[in-house]
Amino acid sequence: MTMYLDQAILETLQAQTARHRSNYQALVNETLQQMTLPDSISLTIDSLRRMLREEFGRHDAKPHGQ
């Protein structure tokens, strides 16, 4: 299959691939798959990182032993 994408989209995906040292084709497929999932279960790398920071931040604020 041949697919034509906007140059800006290609550059964004290529930059993400380089930044995360991931596979370009896998990132394209993951991005397209996320677009087909219902919003309630869609999870991005950025949203996962944010949730982990929030969760670990809560645990870091507690004194050790509690």
Side-chain angles (χ1 to χ4, degrees):
M1 170 172 44
T2 301
M3 183 183 295
Y4 298 99
L5 302 173
D6 291 339
Q7 187 65 33
I9 292 171
L10 286 174
E11 290 170 1
T12 299
L13 291 172
Q14 289 168 343
Q16 288 180 3
T17 299
R19 190 170 46 249
H20 299 293
R21 295 187 180 135
S22 60
N23 179 287
Y24 179 75
Q25 184 65 47
L27 181 61
V28 171
N29 285 330
E30 179 184 327
T31 302
L32 292 171
Q33 184 180 33
Q34 287 177 6
M35 297 302 298
T36 64
L37 295 174
D39 290 338
S40 61
I41 61 171
S42 180
L43 181 65
T44 65
I45 291 172
D46 289 334
S47 63
L48 178 59
R49 285 184 178 138
R50 185 178 61 251
M51 287 186 291
L52 290 172
R53 278 194 300 268
E54 290 172 2
E55 190 61 30
F56 284 119
R58 287 184 198 141
H59 291 293
D60 291 342
K62 294 178 182 176
H64 292 293
Q66 287 188 345

